PDB file of all heavy atoms in Angstrom:
ATOM      1  N   PRO A 144     -33.181  10.736  -1.615  1.00  0.00           N
ATOM      2  CA  PRO A 144     -34.037   9.521  -2.086  1.00  0.00           C
ATOM      3  C   PRO A 144     -33.350   8.405  -2.483  1.00  0.00           C
ATOM      4  O   PRO A 144     -32.141   8.539  -2.812  1.00  0.00           O
ATOM      5  CB  PRO A 144     -34.886  10.146  -3.271  1.00  0.00           C
ATOM      6  CG  PRO A 144     -34.817  11.567  -3.261  1.00  0.00           C
ATOM      7  CD  PRO A 144     -33.452  11.908  -2.537  1.00  0.00           C
ATOM      8  N   ARG A 145     -33.880   7.246  -2.337  1.00  0.00           N
ATOM      9  CA  ARG A 145     -33.266   5.895  -2.833  1.00  0.00           C
ATOM     10  C   ARG A 145     -32.638   6.048  -4.318  1.00  0.00           C
ATOM     11  O   ARG A 145     -33.417   6.656  -5.070  1.00  0.00           O
ATOM     12  CB  ARG A 145     -34.373   4.856  -2.794  1.00  0.00           C
ATOM     13  CG  ARG A 145     -34.573   4.130  -1.623  1.00  0.00           C
ATOM     14  CD  ARG A 145     -35.514   2.915  -1.878  1.00  0.00           C
ATOM     15  NE  ARG A 145     -36.833   3.212  -2.400  1.00  0.00           N
ATOM     16  CZ  ARG A 145     -37.865   3.603  -1.613  1.00  0.00           C
ATOM     17  NH1 ARG A 145     -37.742   3.434  -0.336  1.00  0.00           N
ATOM     18  NH2 ARG A 145     -39.093   3.847  -2.161  1.00  0.00           N
ATOM     19  N   ASN A 146     -31.572   5.510  -4.360  1.00  0.00           N
ATOM     20  CA  ASN A 146     -31.076   5.180  -5.655  1.00  0.00           C
ATOM     21  C   ASN A 146     -30.878   6.458  -6.653  1.00  0.00           C
ATOM     22  O   ASN A 146     -31.353   6.452  -7.744  1.00  0.00           O
ATOM     23  CB  ASN A 146     -32.228   4.258  -6.276  1.00  0.00           C
ATOM     24  CG  ASN A 146     -31.627   3.441  -7.438  1.00  0.00           C
ATOM     25  OD1 ASN A 146     -30.509   3.104  -7.503  1.00  0.00           O
ATOM     26  ND2 ASN A 146     -32.612   2.838  -8.261  1.00  0.00           N
ATOM     27  N   THR A 147     -30.412   7.427  -6.011  1.00  0.00           N
ATOM     28  CA  THR A 147     -30.248   8.800  -6.816  1.00  0.00           C
ATOM     29  C   THR A 147     -28.936   9.228  -6.914  1.00  0.00           C
ATOM     30  O   THR A 147     -28.646  10.217  -7.688  1.00  0.00           O
ATOM     31  CB  THR A 147     -31.201   9.929  -6.179  1.00  0.00           C
ATOM     32  OG1 THR A 147     -30.920  10.041  -4.789  1.00  0.00           O
ATOM     33  CG2 THR A 147     -32.693   9.558  -6.282  1.00  0.00           C
ATOM     34  N   LEU A 148     -28.066   8.799  -6.139  1.00  0.00           N
ATOM     35  CA  LEU A 148     -26.576   9.308  -6.093  1.00  0.00           C
ATOM     36  C   LEU A 148     -25.613   8.436  -6.887  1.00  0.00           C
ATOM     37  O   LEU A 148     -25.702   7.217  -6.773  1.00  0.00           O
ATOM     38  CB  LEU A 148     -26.035   9.554  -4.729  1.00  0.00           C
ATOM     39  CG  LEU A 148     -26.891  10.550  -3.746  1.00  0.00           C
ATOM     40  CD1 LEU A 148     -26.132  10.625  -2.440  1.00  0.00           C
ATOM     41  CD2 LEU A 148     -26.964  11.984  -4.439  1.00  0.00           C
ATOM     42  N   HIS A 149     -24.823   9.126  -7.624  1.00  0.00           N
ATOM     43  CA  HIS A 149     -23.844   8.257  -8.476  1.00  0.00           C
ATOM     44  C   HIS A 149     -22.387   8.336  -7.851  1.00  0.00           C
ATOM     45  O   HIS A 149     -21.591   7.434  -7.965  1.00  0.00           O
ATOM     46  CB  HIS A 149     -23.818   8.818  -9.872  1.00  0.00           C
ATOM     47  CG  HIS A 149     -25.098   8.604 -10.559  1.00  0.00           C
ATOM     48  ND1 HIS A 149     -26.046   9.536 -10.421  1.00  0.00           N
ATOM     49  CD2 HIS A 149     -25.733   7.632 -11.370  1.00  0.00           C
ATOM     50  CE1 HIS A 149     -27.211   9.189 -11.022  1.00  0.00           C
ATOM     51  NE2 HIS A 149     -26.958   8.045 -11.589  1.00  0.00           N
ATOM     52  N   PHE A 150     -22.041   9.434  -7.133  1.00  0.00           N
ATOM     53  CA  PHE A 150     -20.759   9.691  -6.615  1.00  0.00           C
ATOM     54  C   PHE A 150     -20.880  10.344  -5.318  1.00  0.00           C
ATOM     55  O   PHE A 150     -21.434  11.497  -5.251  1.00  0.00           O
ATOM     56  CB  PHE A 150     -19.750  10.313  -7.522  1.00  0.00           C
ATOM     57  CG  PHE A 150     -18.387  10.336  -7.181  1.00  0.00           C
ATOM     58  CD1 PHE A 150     -17.542   9.257  -7.574  1.00  0.00           C
ATOM     59  CD2 PHE A 150     -17.931  11.406  -6.346  1.00  0.00           C
ATOM     60  CE1 PHE A 150     -16.204   9.195  -7.167  1.00  0.00           C
ATOM     61  CE2 PHE A 150     -16.531  11.213  -5.908  1.00  0.00           C
ATOM     62  CZ  PHE A 150     -15.780  10.197  -6.286  1.00  0.00           C
ATOM     63  N   VAL A 151     -20.360   9.833  -4.165  1.00  0.00           N
ATOM     64  CA  VAL A 151     -20.374  10.519  -2.981  1.00  0.00           C
ATOM     65  C   VAL A 151     -18.996  10.808  -2.502  1.00  0.00           C
ATOM     66  O   VAL A 151     -18.059  10.000  -2.546  1.00  0.00           O
ATOM     67  CB  VAL A 151     -21.111   9.632  -1.813  1.00  0.00           C
ATOM     68  CG1 VAL A 151     -20.948  10.198  -0.512  1.00  0.00           C
ATOM     69  CG2 VAL A 151     -22.628   9.583  -2.205  1.00  0.00           C
ATOM     70  N   HIS A 152     -18.750  11.970  -2.010  1.00  0.00           N
ATOM     71  CA  HIS A 152     -17.456  12.397  -1.396  1.00  0.00           C
ATOM     72  C   HIS A 152     -17.699  12.927  -0.054  1.00  0.00           C
ATOM     73  O   HIS A 152     -18.558  13.561   0.260  1.00  0.00           O
ATOM     74  CB  HIS A 152     -16.899  13.596  -2.369  1.00  0.00           C
ATOM     75  CG  HIS A 152     -15.539  14.196  -1.863  1.00  0.00           C
ATOM     76  ND1 HIS A 152     -15.611  15.426  -1.272  1.00  0.00           N
ATOM     77  CD2 HIS A 152     -14.398  13.823  -2.070  1.00  0.00           C
ATOM     78  CE1 HIS A 152     -14.463  15.750  -1.012  1.00  0.00           C
ATOM     79  NE2 HIS A 152     -13.596  14.780  -1.413  1.00  0.00           N
ATOM     80  N   SER A 153     -16.606  12.627   0.761  1.00  0.00           N
ATOM     81  CA  SER A 153     -16.645  13.251   2.120  1.00  0.00           C
ATOM     82  C   SER A 153     -15.265  13.281   2.643  1.00  0.00           C
ATOM     83  O   SER A 153     -14.507  12.257   2.634  1.00  0.00           O
ATOM     84  CB  SER A 153     -17.582  12.430   3.063  1.00  0.00           C
ATOM     85  OG  SER A 153     -17.603  12.978   4.321  1.00  0.00           O
ATOM     86  N   SER A 154     -14.788  14.483   2.955  1.00  0.00           N
ATOM     87  CA  SER A 154     -13.437  14.731   3.325  1.00  0.00           C
ATOM     88  C   SER A 154     -13.298  15.244   4.649  1.00  0.00           C
ATOM     89  O   SER A 154     -13.947  16.358   4.971  1.00  0.00           O
ATOM     90  CB  SER A 154     -12.647  15.496   2.271  1.00  0.00           C
ATOM     91  OG  SER A 154     -11.280  15.722   2.586  1.00  0.00           O
ATOM     92  N   ALA A 155     -12.589  14.695   5.625  1.00  0.00           N
ATOM     93  CA  ALA A 155     -12.343  15.258   6.960  1.00  0.00           C
ATOM     94  C   ALA A 155     -13.598  15.615   7.658  1.00  0.00           C
ATOM     95  O   ALA A 155     -13.640  16.680   8.375  1.00  0.00           O
ATOM     96  CB  ALA A 155     -11.424  16.567   6.852  1.00  0.00           C
TER      97      ALA A 155
END
Side-chain angles (χ1 to χ4, degrees):
Chain A
R145 271 191 297 272
N146 206 18
T147 52
L148 298 180
H149 301 83
F150 191 89
V151 168
H152 173 262
S153 182
S154 180

